[in-house]
Amino acid sequence: MKIMQLFWENGYEATGLSDIVAVTGLGKASLYKAFGNKHQMYLRALSHYESLMIDTAVAVLRSKDAAPLDRIDAFLSAPIVAVRDHKDRRGCFLCNAAADRASLDSDTASLVERGYAKLRKALTRTLSEAFPEGASEKIAVRAEVVLTIYSGLRIMSRAAQTAEMMTATKTEIIVMMGLI
């Protein structure tokens, strides 16, 4: 979805209707008829991102094709791979929305919380597999830490942090948490 790409790259405020018209080739009347106003377009774009990217991350975390801690490592490595291998500095649209719009708009806040809840639940399950004897409260806190680090790495990628520094950060937190 071209509209999703615009909002992901530029944020809500920096994306104008003229930008949306330019990438879609639709006139304003057609855009409004098809997608509603800019706010509705943004929410649809964020929801689309959730179904593409968040649900894929959840599937990776739940996959039985790798050991639980390897899945956590892959999840935390995704922002680094995006920067290092693809020169992708957009970050995570969900993380961007959390920082950009969630405190200003309850609809955005709801979508952000829904996406984070999916990730949190998948992380909790994966960590429970890795540490079956662990206390559920401790597992929940660890899941929240991993999600926070992931979000931070995605924000760091937007701030032009190097892949090397992001890798060092990820490695240090994994060691500190006793995940390796």
Side-chain angles (χ1 to χ4, degrees):
M1 172 183 225
K2 294 175 183 178
I3 296 171
M4 181 190 75
Q5 296 295 333
L6 276 176
F7 284 124
W8 184 0
E9 290 173 20
N10 303 321
Y12 182 82
E13 294 299 330
T15 301
L17 191 56
S18 60
D19 299 317
I20 297 169
V21 166
V23 300
T24 63
L26 298 173
K28 288 182 184 181
S30 297
L31 273 173
Y32 285 124
K33 186 174 181 176
F35 300 106
N37 63 27
K38 178 181 169 182
H39 181 252
Q40 291 166 321
M41 288 180 220
Y42 180 81
L43 295 174
R44 285 179 68 173
L46 186 56
S47 184
H48 185 65
Y49 178 88
E50 177 187 346
S51 67
L52 287 177
M53 305 300 284
I54 301 304
D55 292 350
T56 298
V58 167
V60 168
L61 285 166
R62 290 184 175 168
S63 171
K64 302 298 183 190
D65 294 339
L69 293 180
D70 291 339
R71 298 189 313 253
I72 298 286
D73 184 62
F75 176 71
L76 289 174
S77 295
I80 299 162
V81 170
V83 169
R84 185 190 61 224
D85 297 352
H86 307 290
K87 309 296 183 237
D88 182 352
R89 294 210 170 264
R90 294 174 297 176
C92 164
F93 188 10
L94 185 73
C95 301
N96 300 349
D100 182 36
R101 297 285 308 157
S103 67
L104 304 173
D105 171 40
S106 62
D107 294 329
T108 301
S110 293
L111 287 175
V112 166
E113 182 48 41
R114 183 175 76 191
Y116 277 139
K118 286 180 177 183
L119 292 170
R120 190 177 295 113
K121 184 177 179 182
L123 287 164
T124 300
R125 278 188 183 169
T126 305
L127 287 165
S128 293
E129 287 177 49
F131 302 101
E133 303 300 320
S136 61
E137 306 84 36
K138 186 171 184 173
I139 296 289
V141 169
R142 282 183 166 191
E144 196 64 38
V145 169
V146 171
L147 185 54
T148 300
I149 296 305
Y150 172 83
S151 297
L153 289 169
R154 287 294 190 178
I155 297 294
M156 288 172 65
S157 72
R158 282 189 71 85
Q161 188 61 260
T162 66
E164 293 78 18
M165 181 53 75
M166 292 169 66
T167 300
T169 301
K170 180 201 78 156
T171 302
E172 184 63 24
I173 200 69
I174 286 174
V175 169
M176 287 172 57
M177 290 180 65
L179 299 179
I180 59 170

